[in-house]
């Protein structure tokens, strides 16, 4: 029997939990997470939350910094909403029990990161995301209307195709694979994608294993509009070590005075941007990539040694301890770093309340394209976006849920067809590795038409293999994720191939200049149903 709720949330990060807390005041909420409920991109966010909290800062300055970082491809209304509503959302988070670093005066200890013109980053040491997640989960536990379903992987959205002629099919829930290997049906008046990003589509990423682009892939298959997938942010500084996996070295280190150096000790960022190491992320990532190609080195180095042991151990205890575990003492040794896929600036197209182009389906957080980030995300605007749009979507859906017609009594059953248990799982692991490697080599920090064409041809073959495998064998979590990263890779290549200019995170050697006349607009794609 289907499980029925008023609100169905896919994902347990800052956006999903913020939504669930608000929506629980108006009805029953189910929150589905693929792994443990705390496992999300939010959990690993280090730097902080950007917001205007100091009397010397202004909304106008934060808006302008966001527009500059996004190469003015941002939607002005989305930027204004996020910046102006941010302080209230942070105060609500503090009221829930989130604890952030404070100065001796009792005020927030605000720091600065790349692209910001002021110190406006509120933080909890270097584990801000973990503290935000802790506070939100504790608040959710106090709400009797919220039910968590852990180890539950969404497979596809359920569309009610029994609509009046000319009306789009309404989303009424999802099929999901539970931890026992069974397919469950979840129905809800409102379905909310809060599934985060898709860093695992690339070979090297700062993201955890859950970041496989599930929300974008499912929404695309359901006919939703998707925009700006060519803008994938590569964080300039991830720890370079053979035994380290996806460990981010926060932008805050450069905000506090860290220097980027080559193997011989020379600094280089001043040759690429007036802000040097504090330039926007796309500039820093491309600069590092260019220097590695020029020198043939495996990495560059982030030097904090001039700041002293007391400062680095107190300000960055988690990063210090992790580096030390890999025999790198950042108080006396520069940290080896390389760029890695970090943040998806495109996503499922939404309005300012999180509504997608599919009725009944909302998207919030990294999975959504609200227009906030434009062609490049400004540091620490991501947790802020999750807080703001989680709140806005909950307000909108509270009214919408009351007005919607009843859910179908007889939703379409999951159709396993003639699927059997797989005896050739090597296909999954091989295709997974191949997609991630070809995306890194052909659709990475610097692109060309020829590289994109190669990627498209190979992806077409891989997606056909994956479709055949998907229908012939019983679904597993690995197959679900493989299918999703293949669809997301296709969308990134499609959007990148359409944009005939270089802007923000999309840099192509064939069109190295920005072309405002033709391309100061979003790249929007959708699947014909």
């Amino acid at each position: 029997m289907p499980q029925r709720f008023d609100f169905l949330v896919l994902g347990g990060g800052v956006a999903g939990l913020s939504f669930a807390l608000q929506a629980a005041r108006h009805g029953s909420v189910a929150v589905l997470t693929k792994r443990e409920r705390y496992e999300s991109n939010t959990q690993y966010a280090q730097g902080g939350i950007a917001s205007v909290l100091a009397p010397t800062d202004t909304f106008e300055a934060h808006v302008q910094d966001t527009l500059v970082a996004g190469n003015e491809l941002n939607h002005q209304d989305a930027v204004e909403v996020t910046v102006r509503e941010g302080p209230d959302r942070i105060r609500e988070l503090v009221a829930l029990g989130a604890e952030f670093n404070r100065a001796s005066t009792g005020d927030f200890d605000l720091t600065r990161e790349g692209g910001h013109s002021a110190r406006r980053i509120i933080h909890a040491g270097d584990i801000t995301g973990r503290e935000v997640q802790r506070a939100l989960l504790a608040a959710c536990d106090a709400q009797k209307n919220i039910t968590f379903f852990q180890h539950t992987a969404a497979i596809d959205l359920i569309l009610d195709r029994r609509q009046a002629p000319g009306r789009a099919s309404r989303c009424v829930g999802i099929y999901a694979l539970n931890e026992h290997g069974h397919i469950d049906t979840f129905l809800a008046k409102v379905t909310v994608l809060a599934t985060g990003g898709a860093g695992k589509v690339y070979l090297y990423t700062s993201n955890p294993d859950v970041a496989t682009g599930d929300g974008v892939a499912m929404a695309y298959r359901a006919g939703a509009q998707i925009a700006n997938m060519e803008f994938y942010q590569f964080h300039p500084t991830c720890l370079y070590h053979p035994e380290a996996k996806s460990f981010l070295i926060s932008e805050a280190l450069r905000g506090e005075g860290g220097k980027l150096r080559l193997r011989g000790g020379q600094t280089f960022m001043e040759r690429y941007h007036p802000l040097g190491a504090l330039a926007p992320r796309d500039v820093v990532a491309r600069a590092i990539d260019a220097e590695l190609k020029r020198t043939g080195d495996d990495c560059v180095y982030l030097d904090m040694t001039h700041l002293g042991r007391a400062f680095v151990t107190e300000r960055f205890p988690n990063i210090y301890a992790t580096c030390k575990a890999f025999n790198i003492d950042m108080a006396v040794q520069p940290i080896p770093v390389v760029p890695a896929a970090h943040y998806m600036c495109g996503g499922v197209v939404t309005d300012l309340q999180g509504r997608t182009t599919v009725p009944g389906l909302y998207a919030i957080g990294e999975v959504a394209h609200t227009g906030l980030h434009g062609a490049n995300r400004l540091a620490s605007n991501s947790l802020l976006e999750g807080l703001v749009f989680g709140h806005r979507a909950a307000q909108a859906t509270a009214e919408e849920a009351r007005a919607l017609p009843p859910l179908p009594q007889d939703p379409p059953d999951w159709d396993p067809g003639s699927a059997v248990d797989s005896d050739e799982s090597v296909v999954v692991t091989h295709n997974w590795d191949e997609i991630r490697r070809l995306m890194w080599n052909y659709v990475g920090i610097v692109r060309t038409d020829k590289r994109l064409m190669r990627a498209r041809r190979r992806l077409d073959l891989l997606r056909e293999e994956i479709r055949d495998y998907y229908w012939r064998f019983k679904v597993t979590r690995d197959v679900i994720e493989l299918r999703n990263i293949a669809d997301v890779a296709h969308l990134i290549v499609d959007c990148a191939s359409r944009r005939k200019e270089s802007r923000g995170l999309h840099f192509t050697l064939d069109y190295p200049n920005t072309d405002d006349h033709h391309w100061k607009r979003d790249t929007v794609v959708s699947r014909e149903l």
Side-chain angles (χ1 to χ4, degrees):
M1 289 292 292
Q3 303 205 52
R4 296 170 183 267
F5 295 87
D6 294 310
F7 306 96
L8 176 61
V9 183
L10 309 184
V14 61
L17 296 180
S18 295
F19 175 90
L21 272 176
Q22 297 293 325
R25 301 174 183 176
H26 306 285
S28 58
V29 183
V31 179
L32 275 59
T33 62
K34 284 201 299 184
R35 309 290 202 274
E36 292 79 10
R37 63 181 192 162
Y38 56 79
E39 185 70 5
S40 70
N41 274 350
T42 296
Q43 174 78 2
Y44 297 92
Q46 295 175 349
I49 310 173
S51 195
V52 177
L53 298 168
T56 54
D57 198 6
T58 66
F59 290 140
E60 291 75 17
H62 191 180
V63 167
Q64 185 60 26
D65 290 346
T66 302
L67 294 174
V68 170
N71 288 111
E72 299 189 350
L73 200 66
N74 325 63
H75 297 189
Q76 181 87 27
D77 54 357
V79 178
E80 294 277 356
V81 158
T82 307
V83 167
R84 293 183 182 278
E85 295 182 9
D88 285 342
R89 302 290 81 81
I90 288 177
R91 282 188 278 269
E92 290 171 358
L93 191 57
V94 171
L96 290 177
E99 297 182 1
F100 298 101
N101 286 40
R102 294 183 182 268
S104 57
T105 60
D107 297 326
F108 292 122
D109 177 28
L110 302 175
T111 189
R112 184 183 174 193
E113 293 180 354
H116 288 275
S117 59
R119 298 180 76 91
R120 64 168 69 98
I121 314 299
I122 186 174
H123 61 95
D126 56 356
I127 52 169
T128 304
R130 192 185 306 175
E131 175 60 16
V132 170
Q133 186 102 350
R134 181 203 63 77
L136 289 172
L137 282 172
C140 286
D141 286 340
Q143 276 281 2
K144 63 180 182 180
N145 274 354
I146 301 176
T147 305
F148 283 89
F149 294 85
Q150 301 183 92
H151 302 284
T152 303
I155 302 171
D156 266 321
L157 300 170
I158 301 173
L159 300 180
D160 184 358
R161 302 189 186 278
R162 297 170 297 183
Q163 304 291 320
R167 293 190 60 186
S169 298
R170 170 186 163 207
C171 178
V172 293
I174 64 155
Y175 301 114
L177 178 71
N178 67 28
E179 60 183 316
H180 305 295
H182 302 136
I183 308 299
D184 290 332
T185 300
F186 290 84
L187 299 181
K189 295 178 179 177
V190 171
T191 300
V192 180
L193 301 175
T195 51
K200 297 299 284 189
V201 78
Y202 284 100
L203 185 61
Y204 301 111
T205 178
S206 64
N207 293 183
D209 289 343
V210 293
T212 51
D214 307 322
V216 169
M218 288 189 295
Y220 173 69
R221 292 194 293 265
Q225 287 187 347
I226 311 295
N228 289 7
M229 292 295 289
E230 68 269 38
F231 298 121
Y232 215 104
Q233 187 177 77
F234 289 78
H235 197 289
T237 53
C238 280
L239 179 62
Y240 179 74
H241 189 281
E243 297 176 14
K245 179 184 178 183
S246 306
F247 187 71
L248 182 69
I249 303 296
S250 172
E251 181 132 10
L253 274 72
R254 285 178 286 129
E256 296 290 3
K259 306 290 185 183
L260 284 168
R261 301 185 185 278
L262 300 175
R263 183 179 296 275
Q266 312 95 317
T267 60
F268 59 90
M269 277 308 304
E270 61 273 11
R271 292 191 273 110
Y272 291 90
H273 197 278
L275 289 174
L278 283 174
R281 287 179 176 174
D282 60 321
V283 176
V284 182
R286 277 201 305 276
I288 294 174
D289 183 68
E291 290 297 320
L292 295 181
K293 284 181 169 61
R294 183 182 67 83
T295 62
D297 291 337
D298 293 324
C299 63
V300 297
Y301 296 85
L302 182 57
D303 186 2
M304 304 291 288
T305 58
H306 56 290
L307 297 174
R309 182 178 298 278
F311 177 81
V312 296
T313 55
E314 181 179 350
R315 177 65 180 85
F316 303 108
N318 182 54
I319 295 174
Y320 180 85
T322 301
C323 289
K324 197 72 164 62
F326 293 109
N327 295 315
I328 301 165
D329 185 345
M330 61 186 274
V332 294
Q333 297 171 259
I335 307 166
V337 293
V338 290
H342 184 58
Y343 194 89
M344 182 173 70
C345 290
V348 185
V349 173
T350 74
D351 64 11
L352 294 181
Q353 282 70 44
R355 295 185 189 90
T356 73
T357 55
V358 173
L361 181 66
Y362 282 65
I364 52 177
E366 188 175 354
V367 69
H369 174 262
T370 62
L372 168 64
H373 304 300
N376 181 26
R377 177 177 69 97
L378 180 64
S380 290
N381 269 355
S382 51
L383 292 178
L384 180 70
E385 181 184 31
L387 290 170
V388 169
F389 282 92
H391 183 89
R392 291 179 71 85
Q395 288 183 316
T397 56
E399 300 175 7
E400 181 173 319
R402 287 193 292 269
L404 285 171
L407 291 168
Q409 291 300 312
D410 55 343
D413 293 329
W414 169 257
D415 180 12
S418 56
V420 297
D421 290 326
S422 173
D423 59 357
E424 50 182 37
S425 295
V426 67
V427 172
V428 177
T429 56
H430 178 85
N431 286 357
W432 176 277
D433 290 341
E434 186 170 350
I435 289 171
R436 298 181 68 211
R437 191 170 297 277
L438 76 84
M439 288 297 291
W440 183 262
N441 290 334
Y442 296 152
V443 201
I445 297 171
V446 177
R447 301 156 182 177
T448 67
D449 283 350
K450 184 177 290 187
R451 292 174 190 171
L452 292 173
M453 192 181 306
R454 287 173 180 159
R456 182 190 293 275
R457 283 199 300 262
R458 188 62 192 127
L459 280 170
D460 286 344
L461 293 173
L462 286 167
R463 290 176 75 218
E464 186 58 40
E465 287 180 18
I466 292 164
R467 272 193 293 269
D468 176 66
Y469 187 97
Y470 175 79
W471 291 111
R472 286 173 54 206
F473 299 109
K474 292 180 180 179
V475 295
T476 64
R477 191 178 66 189
D478 288 344
V479 171
I480 292 167
E481 292 181 335
L482 173 64
R483 181 184 183 219
N484 289 337
I485 69 163
D487 284 345
V488 170
H490 160 75
L491 288 166
I492 294 172
V493 171
D494 190 10
C495 289
S497 299
R498 293 171 186 242
R499 185 170 290 278
K500 305 301 184 183
E501 65 158 359
S502 289
R503 183 187 297 268
L505 302 166
H506 174 67
F507 186 82
T508 170
L509 296 176
D510 293 306
Y511 307 95
N513 299 315
T514 299
D515 181 359
D516 281 346
H517 179 69
H518 295 101
W519 287 104
K520 198 173 182 180
R521 57 181 174 84
D522 294 331
T523 310
V524 181
V525 297
S526 60
R527 176 176 175 241
E528 294 294 330
L529 296 179

